[in-house]
Amino acid sequence: MESNGHRKTRRRNLIAQESSSFNLSEVIDELDPWTAWAYRPHTIKLLFIGTCFLIWASGVLDPDSTSTGDLVISVKRGVFAMIAVFLAYSLLQAPATVLIRPHPAIWRLVHGLAVVYLISLTFLLFQKRDDARQFMRFLHPNLGVELPERSYGSDCRIYVPEDPSSRFRNVYETLFDEFVLAHIFGWWGKAIMIRNQPLLWILSFGFELMELTFRHMLPNFNECWWDSIILDILVCNWFGIWAGMRTVQYFDGRTYEWVGISQRPNIISKVLGQFTPAQWDKDEWHPLLGPWRFLQVLFLCIVFLTVELNTFFLKFCLWIPARNPLIVYRLILWWLIAIPTIREYNSFLQDRTPLKKLGAFCWLSISTCIVELLICIKFGNGLYPNPMARWLVTFWISVGVALLVFLILWSWQLRKALEQKKL
């Protein structure tokens, strides 16, 4: 009998061999019989199926059957086919990730979607603002029309006696806004990915501070004090973080002895078990380990906050309403990208080797965040006539100076302690 650790290690080695040059036939018997077929290479079969699909969809044998006479429709079909071919390649040949559940091919497909999104953003970056807004109509017919931005801080009264329908109308409208559930599920997902409660609360207060900083630019950030402090931080964010950390504690306390699908007691357990983690890593960020680690963790927080801010600025610059499905698609894609990104970045921080490489998802996430930010800067030129409040400018300059002084003193203290040890 093998120990549990040896079995898990051998299984991880087997999954790693899936995308390498090792011979899977030597170890294919190690897999569960119900899922062994999914881990065997099917590249030639899928190449044949994909070729047949391209022949049928493109009308190679009968060109008149696919000719529409509309150039726009023809270009759309060509672009979608191009994306489909690239995603099929990614599904089969993209680099493996640190995640193996529910199947490594799923995360290779997410890698392909991330590349497609990054390339699409790069194309959008080289367009004019008005052209980019009209281009969005090809993605959804209701886009390309200027929309009024909703301000949550126009009336901050909790009790409105003159309102005939409801004297607590302001509270009801804010409480049943679509962003309430987005806040809760968003922080639940962040808690599962980051798994560090102090860091999550720093991000929570940090985003509210970002809303206060950029409220002169986006009316959507103009919130009432009770909305920002009570509803956002103390209710939605707290409940999302609490539920996420309870989920983390549940998986952290489990004993992970991998059992094949064929050995599970019922069909529901067979299917759902494949979507549970194969193992649960305890991420340790240790931001106070040293000045350099502090900056690395601070960089993670900055990227997180920038991605969230990009959501609102892209929506404002490209005239995308909050309930448009493109907003949801982007958030889901970012969530899928962030899952392996956090794992790779934490492994990057824990790696003690002198020469180490940033993971593929980490590189894609940072690149995508940068391109999104560049789009917001380019397309936002001239859209924000109101200047930032002087006290905010003073505040952020003071924070920057204080952070710099803190890091210098910290580094000097560590260097002094190291020199005293050498004496």
Side-chain angles (χ1 to χ4, degrees), residues 138-154:
F138 292 107
L139 302 179
H140 197 277
N142 295 335
L143 299 180
V145 180
E146 185 175 3
L147 299 172
E149 278 285 320
R150 177 182 176 182
S151 176
Y152 293 89
S154 56

Side-chain angles (χ1 to χ4, degrees), residues 238-409:
W238 173 84
F239 183 76
I241 293 174
W242 175 84
M245 293 306 297
R246 289 298 297 265
T247 306
V248 170
Q249 292 173 6
Y250 168 76
F251 284 110
D252 194 27
R254 288 184 59 186
T255 301
Y256 286 89
E257 183 174 355
W258 186 84
V259 177
I261 288 183
S262 61
Q263 302 178 36
R264 294 184 182 273
N266 53 64
I267 189 63
I268 297 178
S269 177
K270 294 176 187 294
V271 176
L272 296 182
Q274 194 65 17
F275 289 87
T276 58
Q279 62 177 359
W280 190 261
D281 299 326
K282 294 182 179 180
D283 292 343
E284 298 177 353
W285 298 103
H286 298 303
L288 300 179
L289 189 63
W292 181 238
R293 174 59 66 86
F294 180 85
L295 289 175
Q296 290 173 325
V297 177
L298 179 62
F299 175 75
L300 174 68
C301 297
I302 292 175
V303 172
F304 254 96
L305 294 175
T306 304
V307 171
E308 292 191 5
L309 287 174
N310 287 343
T311 304
F312 296 92
F313 280 98
L314 287 172
K315 181 170 67 73
F316 179 78
C317 295
L318 296 175
W319 294 347
I320 305 176
R323 297 185 179 183
N324 191 276
L326 290 181
I327 301 292
V328 180
Y329 298 156
R330 177 189 173 274
L331 293 177
I332 293 176
L333 178 60
W334 261 116
W335 183 68
L336 291 173
I337 295 172
I339 293 174
T341 296
I342 297 297
R343 303 280 75 74
E344 290 181 355
Y345 190 66
N346 188 264
S347 300
F348 179 81
L349 296 188
Q350 304 299 332
D351 190 1
R352 300 298 182 183
T353 57
L355 297 176
K356 51 185 179 179
K357 179 182 177 183
L358 197 65
F361 272 98
C362 270
W363 191 93
L364 277 174
S365 298
I366 297 172
S367 303
T368 305
C369 177
I370 291 174
V371 177
E372 282 186 346
L373 180 61
L374 293 177
I375 291 175
C376 295
I377 294 174
K378 178 180 179 180
F379 293 168
N381 186 24
L383 296 181
Y384 314 113
N386 299 325
M388 182 182 293
R390 181 167 297 181
W391 71 270
L392 277 173
V393 177
T394 305
F395 170 77
W396 283 114
I397 292 176
S398 303
V399 170
V401 172
L403 180 62
L404 182 61
V405 172
F406 169 72
L407 292 174
I408 292 175
L409 292 177

Side-chain angles (χ1 to χ4, degrees), residues 401-421:
V401 172
L403 180 62
L404 182 61
V405 172
F406 169 72
L407 292 174
I408 292 175
L409 292 177
W410 192 4
S411 302
W412 175 77
Q413 183 181 13
L414 291 177
R415 183 175 180 180
K416 184 178 179 181
L418 184 61
E419 292 176 351
Q420 289 179 353
K421 287 182 179 180

Side-chain angles (χ1 to χ4, degrees), residues 119-137:
I119 293 174
S120 303
L121 289 174
T122 306
F123 168 80
L124 204 64
L125 179 63
F126 282 83
Q127 311 306 310
K128 296 180 180 179
R129 182 173 59 200
D130 294 336
D131 295 338
R133 288 169 173 172
Q134 297 305 316
F135 173 78
M136 299 300 294
R137 301 187 63 178

